[in-house]
Amino acid sequence: MASKFFAVVAGVGAGTGRSVALKFAQTYPVVLLARKPESYNSIVEEIKAAGGRAIGISTDTADRKSVDAAFATIKKELPDQKLAAAVFNASTGLSRKGFLDQTPEDFELSLRGNALGLFNFAQATIPLLLASTSDSPHPPTLIVTGATASVRGSAKFGDFAAGKFAVRALSQSLAREFGPQGVHVAHTIVDGIIDIPRTKAYNVNGGGPDSKIDPGAIADSYWYLHTQPRSHFTLELDTRPYNEKF
Amino acid sequence: MASKFFAVVAGVGAGTGRSVALKFAQTYPVVLLARKPESYNSIVEEIKAAGGRAIGISTDTADRKSVDAAFATIKKELPDQKLAAAVFNASTGLSRKGFLDQTPEDFELSLRGNALGLFNFAQATIPLLLASTSDSPHPPTLIVTGATASVRGSAKFGDFAAGKFAVRALSQSLAREFGPQGVHVAHTIVDGIIDIPRTKAYNVNGGGPDSKIDPGAIADSYWYLHTQPRSHFTLELDTRPYNEKF
Amino acid sequence: MASKFFAVVAGVGAGTGRSVALKFAQTYPVVLLARKPESYNSIVEEIKAAGGRAIGISTDTADRKSVDAAFATIKKELPDQKLAAAVFNASTGLSRKGFLDQTPEDFELSLRGNALGLFNFAQATIPLLLASTSDSPHPPTLIVTGATASVRGSAKFGDFAAGKFAVRALSQSLAREFGPQGVHVAHTIVDGIIDIPRTKAYNVNGGGPDSKIDPGAIADSYWYLHTQPRSHFTLELDTRPYNEKF
Amino acid sequence: MASKFFAVVAGVGAGTGRSVALKFAQTYPVVLLARKPESYNSIVEEIKAAGGRAIGISTDTADRKSVDAAFATIKKELPDQKLAAAVFNASTGLSRKGFLDQTPEDFELSLRGNALGLFNFAQATIPLLLASTSDSPHPPTLIVTGATASVRGSAKFGDFAAGKFAVRALSQSLAREFGPQGVHVAHTIVDGIIDIPRTKAYNVNGGGPDSKIDPGAIADSYWYLHTQPRSHFTLELDTRPYNEKF
């Protein structure tokens, strides 16, 4: 693979992050960011085994210095490559506690892990994406993963929803500021349980096949968003299993 | 082409309808519905020239008898084929008049041309789509084209917005009723001017390249929606040029 | 009562319409429009018994001629009075049928009873409201009653939601066109069961006190909206019982 | 005044906070929270001069300890009174910088000043409001002030919108968790410039009378929300000048 461009995915684990990384690795070298190396090590191996190129960097997106260090490493590791796509998939702060049991730390964890994380990641990637507008194969893209809680504040989800609403706010702002400069910012609303090992036992939507979202389908949707031409940018894409109540 | 499945597109002209028909015709025989044969004749020829199969039927989707007659013709013409995808792209009733200059006829034209049209088309296609859930290559799909006016009632757009909001309401209702039965209903919001011969002179968004939506990109998005697996159904997809104000 | 101004309420029955009429009758003569005289006769009596002035006119707001005739009657009956407030509370077309059991007539009943009704009513009242901007005690007001189905298309509610979404679209358009001319257009979303004789047996939200909306509280909210000064216009007000799931 | 109940307003200055405090002080003793005493001192005097009771407490709602200290002071100053209404009107973090010029501190200032501030304020007030449900004259109420940026992320407003979206998320979550327990949580969207000394020179909406929102009208709307009975709770109320573009 001799792509002049690379992709970076922040927040990789067993679900969306891994699938998106594998998908984009079919075209680009991919940088994987996660706090713990065990979150990305096996994915890096998987990509390499498939003939792709991948780099994992231990990064806490909520920590500015950590993000700056990660992008310094990227610049050293991929000195001649430009950024084609950045995916922010980090998510944290779902305490599932009743409001009066939540602590300020629970609440800040969500605000920082979700919103400040995107802020830091976007400040690192937007300049790189802007620098790619003239020659990238597809419009340079920042895709942000949201959830049901991005558009609905439910009882006991105040902390998580606060972070997710804030992420959506920032995504809209970035789309409106940088879309006219040629960078595609998109926000997805993943409304359902993702089918990963950890959720195998979850009995949702009756429990039949396809009742949980296939992370491979999410990866396909992110690739579709990435390849949209600039005359046709989607800002928001929702997705849910066919039998999800909504 | 020996597909056991076909697609039907209601509302074809120079823009979205034509592009979607050409796209789906790469896989399925396509039936084109429009009031005037001159709206579909050249597209039928285009599809045939490319080796596909196409049938045009003069149909007014706002008229129940006309819709029933069209689907009777389809049954006769394609007796052994099942419906894989239905696209409702009809749109009418944009008087652009101030409210006090609009007539009840203007208003009803929009309600009937948009909402009743979808009602009739959905009553004809939903049973056929339900019959395809067990064996269609992709989840049987009804895609409905919306516009900015689907989500925003602007001054002087009361008639058009009324019809478009109603279409969105019906699309949501259909998605919630028939999604759990395996039919994918999706609604798009096309927010911008489509780049077709009629709009060549429109100077929008500064007038540069890609300032109007490429109808080919819309077709790609409809095909993407059609091919989503049933664990990952999108209900609503918005799209606009990178430099559109919104 | 010697008010120079009057109010008109379209769609009166046992719930919102009656309560709003009683409330506004404390300040203005009130004209009540309903298809059947039995819908307004007792309310007219109630208002008169309380020392107010009321006129009932049999009117089908979905029928333009009927609306024109009603406003000709109003002009004759109240020749020296100007319109301060118009309330559109008509609602119809809730078949509660599954989509495939709905008929085109069901669907059109909702489109016409809701959306065309508002269109006709607004064309009759907006000119009168515009004529009152200079001297009415409060900004002349058009208030439109919506429902949960105004913002959500649920399974089996396609017909009703289509009409209600269309009403909301038109209300937004009117607000944006006539707000800057001094007419206040507001749309409410009544999300819950209204506490009227017909719903006494409905066991909603656990069935305890206040589990259904007090129509008197709705009337208070409409009066509040009417009395907002023009520097502070509300477009949309939602309301539901404290224990309603939403 | 011998009210058994009091109100607390967080975030008082020349606009909404002052007007709301004056309005609620006609019925309840009012506690004013602001970081700087000069923000509330004159309002406290105004309320006292009008025969009301008011206490100002220097408080930073983004700081948990400061909030806890304020409510300890309130308990000491008003030992026999229960909380009827709490208004969260604090707002900060509008840097108006382009995204790439914003600092993590700008962004966190908005997240903390808006969202964490509400979190702390709600954790202090919700238990007090719950304790008032049985005997307060109106359903105990938490009203939260939002802005255009609560529902729209505009270019260069990413920091402010992130904080405001998060506030709305938390408000919705609180409404859904504590509404069924009898506490009314409402969120307002103030969409326009408020008419205060600082904005006198702003030439908005053509500059004519009523082109900026009268803070007295906002106070009336908050009082209206507070007095809604529990069968009729409004979650969200938007407001803007009659000639505001939206």
Side-chain angles (χ1 to χ4, degrees):
Chain A
M1 190 176 303
S3 173
K4 197 184 145 190
F5 291 90
F6 74 102
V8 57
V9 181
V12 293
T16 300
R18 171 180 165 274
S19 292
V20 170
L22 293 176
K23 178 78 183 181
F24 281 63
Q26 294 171 15
T27 303
Y28 304 120
V30 172
V31 179
L32 309 180
L33 309 182
R35 270 173 300 178
K36 301 178 187 169
E38 57 262 41
S39 296
Y40 55 71
N41 278 339
S42 66
I43 309 171
V44 168
E45 291 315 309
E46 230 179 322
I47 290 171
K48 287 180 177 169
R53 183 171 177 197
I55 300 167
I57 305 174
S58 171
T59 313
D60 177 0
T61 49
D63 175 349
R64 181 51 162 258
K65 286 180 186 162
S66 176
V67 172
D68 288 346
F71 279 84
T73 301
I74 291 171
K75 200 183 169 98
K76 212 169 54 184
E77 295 282 331
L78 300 170
D80 301 322
Q81 271 148 328
K82 301 174 72 173
L83 185 61
V87 175
F88 184 76
N89 188 53
S91 188
T92 190
L94 177 56
S95 74
R96 293 182 185 276
K97 296 178 189 171
F99 175 69
L100 294 175
D101 293 324
Q102 292 172 16
T103 63
E105 290 69 34
D106 288 326
F107 195 73
E108 283 221 79
L109 183 67
S110 174
L111 289 183
R112 294 175 55 88
N114 295 300
L116 186 62
L118 173 59
F119 179 88
N120 289 331
F121 184 70
Q123 286 211 328
T125 55
I126 290 275
L128 303 181
L129 294 168
L130 285 168
S132 300
T133 52
S134 61
D135 58 350
S136 62
H138 306 289
T141 309
L142 170 61
I143 303 177
V144 179
T145 303
T148 317
S150 303
V151 289
R152 179 181 168 83
S154 302
K156 305 193 178 181
F157 281 73
D159 49 1
F160 191 58
K164 289 297 184 192
F165 269 57
V167 160
R168 186 168 178 251
L170 181 53
S171 300
Q172 286 185 9
S173 300
L174 295 173
R176 290 190 165 103
E177 184 166 351
F178 298 104
Q181 300 179 47
V183 173
H184 183 187
V185 180
H187 178 265
T188 66
I189 296 178
V190 179
D191 181 21
I193 300 296
I194 299 177
D195 193 8
I196 51 174
R198 185 173 54 81
T199 64
K200 272 289 173 272
Y202 292 17
N203 187 10
V204 292
N205 299 327
D210 304 320
S211 295
K212 297 169 198 159
I213 304 175
D214 172 9
I218 299 179
D220 289 343
S221 68
Y222 280 37
W223 184 255
Y224 164 67
L225 290 170
H226 174 51
T227 59
Q228 289 184 322
R230 70 176 185 163
S231 88
H232 180 288
F233 275 175
T234 290
L235 172 60
E236 196 155 87
L237 183 137
D238 61 287
T239 178
R240 60 186 62 76
Y242 76 106
N243 51 3
E244 183 83 11
K245 290 272 183 306
F246 75 106
Chain B
M1 189 177 301
S3 173
K4 195 182 144 191
F5 291 90
F6 75 101
V8 56
V9 181
V12 293
T16 300
R18 171 180 164 273
S19 292
V20 170
L22 293 175
K23 179 76 184 182
F24 281 64
Q26 293 172 15
T27 304
Y28 304 120
V30 173
V31 179
L32 309 179
L33 308 183
R35 270 173 301 179
K36 300 179 187 168
E38 56 263 40
S39 296
Y40 56 70
N41 278 339
S42 67
I43 309 170
V44 168
E45 292 315 309
E46 231 179 319
I47 290 171
K48 287 180 177 170
R53 182 169 178 198
I55 301 168
I57 305 175
S58 171
T59 314
D60 177 1
T61 48
D63 176 348
R64 181 52 163 257
K65 285 179 187 163
S66 176
V67 172
D68 288 346
F71 279 84
T73 300
I74 290 171
K75 200 182 170 96
K76 212 168 55 184
E77 294 282 331
L78 299 170
D80 301 322
Q81 271 148 329
K82 301 173 74 174
L83 186 61
V87 175
F88 185 76
N89 188 53
S91 187
T92 190
L94 178 56
S95 74
R96 293 182 185 276
K97 296 178 188 170
F99 174 70
L100 295 175
D101 294 325
Q102 293 171 15
T103 64
E105 290 70 33
D106 289 328
F107 195 73
E108 282 221 78
L109 183 66
S110 175
L111 290 183
R112 294 176 54 89
N114 295 300
L116 186 62
L118 173 59
F119 179 88
N120 288 331
F121 184 71
Q123 287 211 329
T125 55
I126 291 275
L128 303 181
L129 294 167
L130 286 169
S132 299
T133 52
S134 60
D135 58 351
S136 63
H138 306 288
T141 310
L142 170 60
I143 303 178
V144 178
T145 304
T148 317
S150 303
V151 289
R152 179 182 167 81
S154 302
K156 303 192 179 181
F157 282 72
D159 48 2
F160 191 59
K164 289 297 185 191
F165 269 57
V167 159
R168 186 168 179 253
L170 181 52
S171 300
Q172 285 184 10
S173 300
L174 294 173
R176 290 190 166 103
E177 184 167 351
F178 298 104
Q181 299 179 46
V183 174
H184 183 188
V185 179
H187 178 263
T188 67
I189 295 179
V190 179
D191 181 21
I193 301 295
I194 299 176
D195 193 8
I196 52 173
R198 185 172 56 82
T199 64
K200 272 288 174 271
Y202 292 16
N203 186 10
V204 292
N205 298 328
D210 304 320
S211 295
K212 296 169 199 157
I213 304 174
D214 172 10
I218 299 179
D220 289 344
S221 68
Y222 281 37
W223 184 256
Y224 164 68
L225 290 170
H226 174 51
T227 59
Q228 289 183 323
R230 69 177 186 163
S231 88
H232 179 290
F233 276 175
T234 290
L235 172 60
E236 196 155 87
L237 183 136
D238 61 286
T239 178
R240 58 186 62 76
Y242 76 107
N243 51 4
E244 183 83 12
K245 290 269 184 309
F246 74 106
Chain C
M1 190 177 299
S3 172
K4 197 183 145 192
F5 292 89
F6 75 101
V8 57
V9 181
V12 293
T16 301
R18 171 181 165 273
S19 291
V20 170
L22 293 175
K23 179 76 183 182
F24 281 63
Q26 293 171 14
T27 304
Y28 305 120
V30 173
V31 179
L32 309 180
L33 308 183
R35 271 174 298 178
K36 301 178 187 170
E38 56 263 41
S39 296
Y40 54 71
N41 278 339
S42 66
I43 310 170
V44 168
E45 292 315 308
E46 231 180 320
I47 290 171
K48 287 180 177 169
R53 183 171 176 196
I55 300 168
I57 305 175
S58 172
T59 313
D60 177 1
T61 49
D63 176 348
R64 182 50 163 258
K65 285 180 188 163
S66 175
V67 172
D68 288 346
F71 280 84
T73 301
I74 291 170
K75 200 183 170 98
K76 212 168 55 184
E77 294 282 332
L78 300 169
D80 302 322
Q81 272 148 327
K82 301 174 74 174
L83 185 61
V87 175
F88 184 76
N89 188 53
S91 187
T92 190
L94 178 56
S95 74
R96 292 181 185 277
K97 296 178 189 171
F99 175 69
L100 295 175
D101 293 324
Q102 293 172 15
T103 64
E105 291 70 35
D106 288 327
F107 195 73
E108 282 221 78
L109 183 66
S110 174
L111 290 183
R112 294 175 54 89
N114 294 301
L116 185 62
L118 173 59
F119 179 88
N120 288 331
F121 184 71
Q123 286 212 329
T125 56
I126 290 275
L128 303 181
L129 294 168
L130 286 168
S132 300
T133 53
S134 61
D135 59 350
S136 63
H138 307 287
T141 310
L142 170 60
I143 303 177
V144 178
T145 304
T148 317
S150 302
V151 289
R152 178 181 169 82
S154 303
K156 305 193 178 180
F157 282 73
D159 48 2
F160 191 59
K164 289 299 184 190
F165 268 58
V167 159
R168 186 168 178 252
L170 181 53
S171 300
Q172 285 186 9
S173 300
L174 295 173
R176 290 189 166 104
E177 184 167 352
F178 298 104
Q181 299 179 48
V183 174
H184 183 188
V185 179
H187 178 264
T188 66
I189 295 178
V190 178
D191 180 22
I193 301 294
I194 300 176
D195 193 8
I196 51 173
R198 185 173 55 82
T199 63
K200 272 289 174 271
Y202 292 17
N203 186 11
V204 292
N205 298 328
D210 304 320
S211 295
K212 296 170 199 159
I213 304 175
D214 173 10
I218 300 179
D220 290 344
S221 68
Y222 281 37
W223 185 254
Y224 164 68
L225 290 170
H226 174 52
T227 59
Q228 289 184 324
R230 69 175 186 164
S231 87
H232 179 290
F233 275 175
T234 289
L235 172 60
E236 197 155 88
L237 183 137
D238 62 286
T239 177
R240 60 186 61 76
Y242 77 106
N243 51 4
E244 183 83 12
K245 291 270 184 307
F246 74 105
Chain D
M1 188 177 303
S3 173
K4 196 183 145 191
F5 292 90
F6 74 101
V8 57
V9 181
V12 294
T16 300
R18 172 182 164 273
S19 292
V20 170
L22 293 175
K23 179 75 183 183
F24 281 64
Q26 293 171 15
T27 304
Y28 305 119
V30 172
V31 179
L32 309 179
L33 308 182
R35 269 173 300 180
K36 301 177 187 170
E38 56 263 40
S39 296
Y40 55 71
N41 278 338
S42 68
I43 308 171
V44 168
E45 292 314 309
E46 231 179 319
I47 290 171
K48 287 179 177 170
R53 183 170 178 196
I55 301 167
I57 305 175
S58 171
T59 314
D60 178 359
T61 48
D63 176 349
R64 180 52 163 256
K65 285 180 187 163
S66 176
V67 172
D68 288 346
F71 279 84
T73 301
I74 290 171
K75 200 181 170 96
K76 212 168 55 184
E77 294 283 330
L78 300 170
D80 302 322
Q81 271 149 329
K82 301 173 74 174
L83 185 61
V87 175
F88 185 76
N89 186 54
S91 187
T92 191
L94 178 57
S95 74
R96 292 182 184 277
K97 297 178 188 170
F99 174 69
L100 295 175
D101 294 324
Q102 293 172 15
T103 64
E105 290 71 33
D106 288 328
F107 196 73
E108 283 221 77
L109 183 65
S110 175
L111 290 183
R112 295 175 54 87
N114 295 301
L116 185 62
L118 173 59
F119 179 88
N120 288 332
F121 184 71
Q123 286 211 328
T125 56
I126 290 275
L128 303 181
L129 294 168
L130 286 169
S132 299
T133 52
S134 61
D135 58 350
S136 63
H138 306 289
T141 310
L142 170 61
I143 303 177
V144 178
T145 303
T148 317
S150 303
V151 289
R152 178 181 168 81
S154 302
K156 304 192 179 181
F157 281 73
D159 49 1
F160 191 58
K164 288 298 185 192
F165 269 58
V167 159
R168 187 169 178 252
L170 181 53
S171 300
Q172 284 185 10
S173 301
L174 294 173
R176 290 191 165 103
E177 183 166 353
F178 297 105
Q181 299 178 49
V183 173
H184 183 187
V185 180
H187 178 264
T188 66
I189 295 178
V190 179
D191 181 22
I193 301 295
I194 299 177
D195 192 10
I196 52 174
R198 184 173 56 81
T199 64
K200 271 289 174 271
Y202 292 16
N203 186 10
V204 292
N205 299 328
D210 305 319
S211 295
K212 297 169 198 157
I213 304 175
D214 172 10
I218 299 179
D220 289 345
S221 67
Y222 282 36
W223 185 255
Y224 164 67
L225 288 170
H226 174 51
T227 60
Q228 290 183 323
R230 69 176 185 165
S231 87
H232 180 290
F233 276 175
T234 290
L235 172 61
E236 197 155 87
L237 182 137
D238 62 286
T239 178
R240 59 187 63 77
Y242 76 107
N243 52 3
E244 183 83 13
K245 291 270 184 303
F246 75 105

